[in-house]
Amino acid sequence: MRKKKIVVLTGAGMSAESGLKTFRDANGLWEGHDVMEVASPQGFAKNPELVFEFYNQRRRQLLQVTPNDGHKALVALEKEFHVNIITQNVDNLHEQAGSKNVLHLHGELLKVRSITDESKVLDWTRDLNLGDIDEKGNQLRPHIVWFGEMVPMLEPAITITQEADILIIIGTSMQVYPAASLVNYVSNDTPIYFIDPKPSVNAADFNNLSIIPQNASKGVPNLVTKLIGT
């Protein structure tokens, strides 16, 4: 019997309970900085040291936290279903928890890449600074998709989403595009579960939508128990 395919779309709320800040505050600032200063090619060209330090702080923080019960519950889900996780998050907490199929839409904090060759990606756990170069002498930069840049993993994410028997959305406002558009690629009869303590959607927004107004560490285990039991 074919295992049902579950696609999970996760946002900042998935990792917040592990102690990771969600970057953007109510004023739209990222840790006190305008987003274009620290997350755009223009900002990097203007002040690379500021950009490096911003992501160095995020990387140091990531190395001090661990997956929460929400991450762990998704691993348990893999025992009964074929699970693909598409995450907007740049942390590796899904992988730390043990999830096998994780696609990062916006890049990864623990990787860097050459400024001249996007395919040259390296694992990186320490601070990144000016003067850190690849084997050809090119400066390295955070392996993060900045505002104004293409999202190279979007097409694979669309393909994965189109095959979903069940879609689970966790901890995202569904306001960040193009990630928010993925929900439009599931078939009309696909059950959709939306887990967030402050849901930004209404039950009438999508067919077969179930809203679970809980945080990830509580809502995800509850849903996983339900799905495994059915």
Side-chain angles (χ1 to χ4, degrees):
M1 182 176 178
R2 182 183 76 88
K3 284 188 175 182
K4 282 189 175 181
K5 293 183 178 180
I6 295 182
V7 175
V8 184
L9 177 61
T10 66
M14 183 81 225
S15 299
E17 292 173 88
S18 289
L20 286 182
K21 297 180 181 178
T22 56
F23 285 24
R24 191 177 305 190
D25 61 22
N27 297 318
L29 299 177
W30 283 25
E31 301 294 307
H33 299 289
D34 180 275
V35 63
M36 298 306 288
E37 292 180 349
V38 295
S40 73
Q42 296 85 355
F44 183 63
K46 179 181 179 181
N47 192 344
E49 291 94 341
L50 174 63
V51 175
F52 283 137
E53 182 54 26
F54 177 82
Y55 289 101
N56 287 342
Q57 290 179 12
R58 309 282 78 71
R59 194 179 299 108
R60 294 174 206 145
Q61 184 187 28
L62 172 56
L63 294 172
Q64 296 175 353
V65 301
T66 56
N68 60 56
D69 288 343
H71 294 104
K72 297 172 184 176
L74 292 179
V75 179
L77 195 62
E78 291 185 9
K79 297 178 181 179
E80 302 295 332
F81 300 91
H82 181 84
V83 179
N84 281 98
I85 297 173
I86 301 170
T87 185
Q88 300 172 55
N89 300 332
V90 295
D91 61 67
N92 69 336
L93 293 178
H94 285 300
E95 290 91 339
Q96 281 193 48
S99 290
K100 298 296 191 296
N101 305 306
V102 184
L103 184 153
H104 288 267
L105 278 176
H106 298 157
E108 300 179 62
L109 260 180
L110 298 185
K111 293 184 178 179
V112 298
R113 70 172 187 254
S114 169
I115 62 171
T116 60
D117 184 358
E118 291 186 7
S119 68
K120 187 61 177 179
V121 179
L122 304 172
D123 293 329
W124 201 270
T125 56
R126 61 185 188 277
D127 283 359
L128 179 64
N129 301 294
L130 278 176
D132 288 325
I133 56 177
D134 65 15
E135 77 277 4
K136 294 183 179 179
N138 298 306
Q139 176 65 47
L140 297 169
R141 56 158 278 183
H143 183 48
I144 303 293
V145 177
W146 288 329
F147 287 89
E149 294 184 324
M150 297 292 291
V151 183
M153 299 307 294
L154 180 60
E155 288 301 322
I158 290 173
T159 299
I160 291 170
T161 305
Q162 288 174 327
E163 298 177 350
D165 294 310
I166 298 171
L167 179 66
I168 303 173
I169 303 170
I170 308 167
T172 174
S173 65
M174 297 299 289
Q175 304 298 314
V176 178
Y177 286 84
S181 66
L182 291 174
V183 69
N184 298 318
Y185 289 95
V186 299
S187 60
N188 288 332
D189 58 348
T190 301
I192 301 173
Y193 296 92
F194 191 94
I195 303 173
D196 195 279
K198 297 180 179 179
S200 58
V201 297
N202 298 308
D205 289 345
F206 303 100
N207 292 332
N208 297 325
L209 174 64
S210 300
I211 298 175
I212 302 172
Q214 297 176 331
N215 56 32
S217 65
K218 184 176 181 180
V220 179
N222 287 344
L223 176 59
V224 167
T225 298
K226 173 184 175 181
L227 293 174
I228 290 177
T230 56

